[in-house]
Amino acid sequence: MKLSEVLATIEALKKVGTGWSGRCPSHQDDQASLSINVSDQRRLLMHCHAGCSFGDVVNALGLQVADLAVIEVDNTDITMVSPNGPQPPTFDMVQ
C-alpha cells in the first residue's frame, strides 16, 4: 500500500508542518483530531487527539495493521514527508 493511498482515505486532510491532519474515521469528528506524520526514523505515525486507539483508527479506515507494515512511497509522497527530497524509503508502523 502506498502512503498516498492511506492519506486518500482521510477526510478533510490538510498539510500541517511536516505531516497532515484530518478527521478521525473512528468517531464522529467535527474537527481534524487525527494527526499523521512520519518520524525521523521514517515510521508512519497516526494519533487521534480525541482518544481513539490506533487499532480503531486503522479498522475504521477499512485496513488492517498488517496493511501498514509495508508502505510504498512514490516520489511525490517522499517530497511531502522528507525535507531532503527523494530517498529510498523504509517505513514501518508504530502504535
Side-chain angles (χ1 to χ4, degrees):
M1 173 169 270
K2 293 184 178 186
L3 177 59
S4 58
E5 293 173 325
V6 175
L7 294 177
T9 64
I10 306 299
E11 292 183 17
L13 183 73
K14 70 177 187 176
K15 186 81 168 113
V16 178
T18 59
W20 299 266
S21 69
R23 292 189 181 131
C24 176
S26 185
H27 71 277
Q28 189 164 354
D29 197 358
D30 296 329
Q31 302 179 28
S33 63
L34 183 67
S35 293
I36 303 165
N37 212 323
V38 179
S39 73
D40 290 340
Q41 294 80 28
R42 300 183 64 78
R43 296 179 182 198
L44 181 63
L45 308 171
M46 290 195 298
H47 176 76
C48 175
H49 295 277
C52 298
S53 73
F54 181 83
D56 287 344
V57 173
V58 171
N59 289 335
L61 291 172
L63 303 172
Q64 296 180 11
V65 173
D67 295 329
L68 301 177
V70 179
I71 297 290
E72 297 176 33
V73 181
D74 60 27
N75 287 341
T76 301
D77 293 328
I78 294 171
T79 302
M80 293 172 72
V81 299
S82 174
N84 300 323
Q87 299 175 14
T90 329
F91 282 91
D92 47 14
M93 188 269 319
V94 296
Q95 208 166 342

